[in-house]
Amino acid sequence: MKPNKTASLILGFASTLLVIAFFIITYTHDQKVNEHTANSFRFEKEVLVVKGTASSDKISYASIQDLDLVNQVAMDDPLQMDYFNGEADTQAYGSVRCYVYVHQKPFIIIQTKKRTFVINDHSEKATKQLYTKIQDKMK
């Protein structure tokens, strides 16, 4: 049986489009991580505004009961993506709201009476600066 040239051409074109789409999606995702737009933190007078790609929270400095800087947060279901915003279950803190770059250490644990947050920034240095600034706002 002879292959149909038209069918081969269409299949080749469709495959090329899929490869191009894959590279565009991957590039856009990598740019978002590289440009550090997955999470943003804004310090207002009374609250820390945390925004992610899918959710946001306002955390009152007065409501923070405990603030920790840790190198690891054990998840019940480990996260496989580059960054994550949303609810997750942890072994040490129970259900938490995350705004994290998954593979970037350290993590800031913010515990309030109502909820626990796990956050970090795009680099170790930026996360430590964020931690220090939250400490200062709590005073």
Side-chain angles (χ1 to χ4, degrees), residues 27 33 35 39 44 49 51 58 63 69 72 75 77-78 82 87 89-90 100 105 110 114 123 128:
Y27 175 78
V33 171
E35 292 172 4
N39 303 322
E44 294 183 354
V49 179
K51 289 187 179 184
K58 290 184 178 183
S63 72
L69 188 64
Q72 184 175 349
M75 299 285 179
D77 187 17
D82 291 327
E87 299 292 325
D89 293 321
T90 66
V100 295
K105 297 177 184 178
I110 301 172
K114 294 182 181 181
S123 70
K128 287 181 177 181

Side-chain angles (χ1 to χ4, degrees), residues 66-84:
D66 196 20
L67 182 70
D68 290 312
L69 188 64
V70 299
N71 281 320
Q72 184 175 349
V73 178
M75 299 285 179
D76 289 348
D77 187 17
L79 303 172
Q80 301 300 319
M81 60 278 299
D82 291 327
Y83 56 86
F84 176 74

Side-chain angles (χ1 to χ4, degrees), residues 8 30 33-34 39 42 55 57 64 74 76 79 83 113 126:
S8 295
D30 290 346
V33 171
N34 291 337
N39 303 322
R42 189 175 71 241
S55 55
D57 283 286
I64 298 174
D76 289 348
L79 303 172
Y83 56 86
K113 189 174 186 176

